[in-house]
Amino acid sequence: MAAARLRSPVGRAIGLGSAKEGVEHWWLQRVTAVALVPLTLWFVISVVRLSSADIDTVRDWVGRPLPAILLVLLLIAAFWHASLGLQVVIEDYVHTDLAKLGLLIVIRLACFALAVAGVIAVLGIAFGTS
Amino acid sequence: MRSADRPISPHLQIYRWQLTSVLSILHRAAGVWLSVGTIVLVWWLVAAASSPEAFDAVAEFLDSWLGMVLLLGWSVALFYHLCNGIRHLVWDTGHGLDLKSTYLGGWLVLGGTAVLTLIAWGAVIVGWAD
């Protein structure tokens, strides 16, 4: 096992590998996935019930405490999960450095911006400020 | 032949497709497609927080022929990614990784996707509401 000998004892103990993040990416992808199982099922049932609802009905629903909380959790988990997943897809399939770097930055910022926009919209309705 | 022109595995023109590999790439495709769908989710929430005109614009888009096709696509992708994501979480525990189980799980995922899609759209069509 030449590879094992080349690795320093400190590197092995810290266990973060060459990317210096260990299993964090993999782990967060799973944690957000577990959160999204009940959240997406709840969301699907909710939007089916809201199909062809007018704005007042939707705002009444969004503004209630439980839907507001679950929507915010859904937005955070979904965009976190999407950001991690899209990052892997780009790393696997985009092979020119500039395009890869650009896409990684755009995807990360877009996911963060969309999550913030969604959360602000939900909170605005819930707190009666929009 | 220059090294860059050599076929790399899997060489798609002569590659024999199997259920397992097709479901694997579909999981990624569904994830990317769902990421696009989150833009509409945020658009819907921000519109509900903004004005009746903004909300009507979203409703008009989703009620259109194109909107319905997109919604159908997102619902199929969501149920597929959800079912196959659970399959992945089971694999992460070290279970179901033998050939027989991966095929059985694959067919269960496809069946689950079809059933959940039919239930959701059936509920929309018969107008299951409050």
Side-chain angles (χ1 to χ4, degrees), chain A residues 1-14:
Chain A
M1 289 293 283
R5 281 205 306 275
L6 287 172
R7 212 166 162 193
S8 75
V10 172
R12 208 169 71 83
I14 296 170

PDB file of all heavy atoms in Angstrom, chain A residues 1-14:
ATOM      1  N   MET A   1       0.845  -1.207   0.000  1.00  0.00           N
ATOM      2  CA  MET A   1       0.000   0.000   0.000  1.00  0.00           C
ATOM      3  C   MET A   1       0.878   1.254   0.000  1.00  0.00           C
ATOM      4  O   MET A   1       1.116   1.876   1.038  1.00  0.00           O
ATOM      5  CB  MET A   1      -0.916   0.001   1.226  1.00  0.00           C
ATOM      6  CG  MET A   1      -2.038  -1.036   1.157  1.00  0.00           C
ATOM      7  SD  MET A   1      -3.234  -0.696  -0.127  1.00  0.00           S
ATOM      8  CE  MET A   1      -4.189   0.621   0.615  1.00  0.00           C
ATOM      9  N   ALA A   2       1.423   1.562  -1.183  1.00  0.00           N
ATOM     10  CA  ALA A   2       2.286   2.730  -1.292  1.00  0.00           C
ATOM     11  C   ALA A   2       1.531   4.004  -0.952  1.00  0.00           C
ATOM     12  O   ALA A   2       2.060   4.894  -0.287  1.00  0.00           O
ATOM     13  CB  ALA A   2       2.864   2.825  -2.697  1.00  0.00           C
ATOM     14  N   ALA A   3       0.253   4.076  -1.365  1.00  0.00           N
ATOM     15  CA  ALA A   3      -0.546   5.288  -1.150  1.00  0.00           C
ATOM     16  C   ALA A   3      -0.687   5.578   0.345  1.00  0.00           C
ATOM     17  O   ALA A   3      -0.575   6.713   0.784  1.00  0.00           O
ATOM     18  CB  ALA A   3      -1.908   5.142  -1.796  1.00  0.00           C
ATOM     19  N   ALA A   4      -0.894   4.519   1.111  1.00  0.00           N
ATOM     20  CA  ALA A   4      -1.078   4.701   2.548  1.00  0.00           C
ATOM     21  C   ALA A   4       0.204   5.234   3.187  1.00  0.00           C
ATOM     22  O   ALA A   4       0.151   6.049   4.086  1.00  0.00           O
ATOM     23  CB  ALA A   4      -1.486   3.384   3.184  1.00  0.00           C
ATOM     24  N   ARG A   5       1.351   4.781   2.690  1.00  0.00           N
ATOM     25  CA  ARG A   5       2.629   5.222   3.266  1.00  0.00           C
ATOM     26  C   ARG A   5       2.927   6.670   2.904  1.00  0.00           C
ATOM     27  O   ARG A   5       3.564   7.385   3.655  1.00  0.00           O
ATOM     28  CB  ARG A   5       3.765   4.331   2.779  1.00  0.00           C
ATOM     29  CG  ARG A   5       3.859   2.994   3.517  1.00  0.00           C
ATOM     30  CD  ARG A   5       5.289   2.431   3.449  1.00  0.00           C
ATOM     31  NE  ARG A   5       5.790   2.316   2.099  1.00  0.00           N
ATOM     32  CZ  ARG A   5       5.562   1.260   1.302  1.00  0.00           C
ATOM     33  NH1 ARG A   5       4.827   0.253   1.763  1.00  0.00           N
ATOM     34  NH2 ARG A   5       6.057   1.210   0.097  1.00  0.00           N
ATOM     35  N   LEU A   6       2.466   7.097   1.700  1.00  0.00           N
ATOM     36  CA  LEU A   6       2.755   8.458   1.262  1.00  0.00           C
ATOM     37  C   LEU A   6       1.938   9.487   2.037  1.00  0.00           C
ATOM     38  O   LEU A   6       2.276  10.655   2.081  1.00  0.00           O
ATOM     39  CB  LEU A   6       2.465   8.616  -0.238  1.00  0.00           C
ATOM     40  CG  LEU A   6       3.479   7.939  -1.160  1.00  0.00           C
ATOM     41  CD1 LEU A   6       3.001   7.981  -2.592  1.00  0.00           C
ATOM     42  CD2 LEU A   6       4.849   8.611  -1.032  1.00  0.00           C
ATOM     43  N   ARG A   7       0.862   9.046   2.644  1.00  0.00           N
ATOM     44  CA  ARG A   7       0.010   9.972   3.354  1.00  0.00           C
ATOM     45  C   ARG A   7       0.559  10.216   4.745  1.00  0.00           C
ATOM     46  O   ARG A   7       0.881   9.265   5.462  1.00  0.00           O
ATOM     47  CB  ARG A   7      -1.383   9.350   3.441  1.00  0.00           C
ATOM     48  CG  ARG A   7      -2.485  10.355   3.419  1.00  0.00           C
ATOM     49  CD  ARG A   7      -3.800   9.666   3.160  1.00  0.00           C
ATOM     50  NE  ARG A   7      -4.868  10.543   3.567  1.00  0.00           N
ATOM     51  CZ  ARG A   7      -6.118  10.150   3.701  1.00  0.00           C
ATOM     52  NH1 ARG A   7      -6.441   8.894   3.492  1.00  0.00           N
ATOM     53  NH2 ARG A   7      -7.025  11.002   4.057  1.00  0.00           N
ATOM     54  N   SER A   8       0.658  11.488   5.142  1.00  0.00           N
ATOM     55  CA  SER A   8       1.227  11.773   6.460  1.00  0.00           C
ATOM     56  C   SER A   8       0.233  11.372   7.548  1.00  0.00           C
ATOM     57  O   SER A   8      -0.971  11.385   7.329  1.00  0.00           O
ATOM     58  CB  SER A   8       1.552  13.264   6.585  1.00  0.00           C
ATOM     59  OG  SER A   8       0.366  13.995   6.766  1.00  0.00           O
ATOM     60  N   PRO A   9       0.739  11.012   8.716  1.00  0.00           N
ATOM     61  CA  PRO A   9      -0.160  10.646   9.823  1.00  0.00           C
ATOM     62  C   PRO A   9      -1.147  11.762  10.168  1.00  0.00           C
ATOM     63  O   PRO A   9      -2.308  11.501  10.464  1.00  0.00           O
ATOM     64  CB  PRO A   9       0.807  10.385  10.975  1.00  0.00           C
ATOM     65  CG  PRO A   9       2.094  10.010  10.316  1.00  0.00           C
ATOM     66  CD  PRO A   9       2.155  10.817   9.059  1.00  0.00           C
ATOM     67  N   VAL A  10      -0.681  13.007  10.081  1.00  0.00           N
ATOM     68  CA  VAL A  10      -1.581  14.130  10.408  1.00  0.00           C
ATOM     69  C   VAL A  10      -2.703  14.214   9.359  1.00  0.00           C
ATOM     70  O   VAL A  10      -3.876  14.368   9.701  1.00  0.00           O
ATOM     71  CB  VAL A  10      -0.805  15.466  10.450  1.00  0.00           C
ATOM     72  CG1 VAL A  10      -1.764  16.639  10.597  1.00  0.00           C
ATOM     73  CG2 VAL A  10       0.194  15.459  11.582  1.00  0.00           C
ATOM     74  N   GLY A  11      -2.328  14.068   8.064  1.00  0.00           N
ATOM     75  CA  GLY A  11      -3.326  14.105   6.994  1.00  0.00           C
ATOM     76  C   GLY A  11      -4.362  13.021   7.166  1.00  0.00           C
ATOM     77  O   GLY A  11      -5.553  13.240   6.966  1.00  0.00           O
ATOM     78  N   ARG A  12      -3.894  11.843   7.582  1.00  0.00           N
ATOM     79  CA  ARG A  12      -4.805  10.719   7.771  1.00  0.00           C
ATOM     80  C   ARG A  12      -5.740  10.971   8.962  1.00  0.00           C
ATOM     81  O   ARG A  12      -6.935  10.692   8.904  1.00  0.00           O
ATOM     82  CB  ARG A  12      -4.009   9.441   8.016  1.00  0.00           C
ATOM     83  CG  ARG A  12      -4.720   8.175   7.560  1.00  0.00           C
ATOM     84  CD  ARG A  12      -3.759   6.995   7.587  1.00  0.00           C
ATOM     85  NE  ARG A  12      -3.434   6.593   8.955  1.00  0.00           N
ATOM     86  CZ  ARG A  12      -4.213   5.783   9.678  1.00  0.00           C
ATOM     87  NH1 ARG A  12      -5.337   5.296   9.166  1.00  0.00           N
ATOM     88  NH2 ARG A  12      -3.873   5.456  10.888  1.00  0.00           N
ATOM     89  N   ALA A  13      -5.197  11.572  10.017  1.00  0.00           N
ATOM     90  CA  ALA A  13      -6.005  11.827  11.209  1.00  0.00           C
ATOM     91  C   ALA A  13      -7.070  12.895  10.945  1.00  0.00           C
ATOM     92  O   ALA A  13      -8.215  12.769  11.357  1.00  0.00           O
ATOM     93  CB  ALA A  13      -5.106  12.268  12.363  1.00  0.00           C
ATOM     94  N   ILE A  14      -6.684  13.931  10.195  1.00  0.00           N
ATOM     95  CA  ILE A  14      -7.646  14.998   9.891  1.00  0.00           C
ATOM     96  C   ILE A  14      -8.680  14.493   8.895  1.00  0.00           C
ATOM     97  O   ILE A  14      -9.866  14.830   8.988  1.00  0.00           O
ATOM     98  CB  ILE A  14      -6.919  16.255   9.350  1.00  0.00           C
ATOM     99  CG1 ILE A  14      -5.994  16.825  10.441  1.00  0.00           C
ATOM    100  CG2 ILE A  14      -7.914  17.333   8.914  1.00  0.00           C
ATOM    101  CD1 ILE A  14      -5.055  17.902   9.947  1.00  0.00           C
TER     102      ILE A  14
END
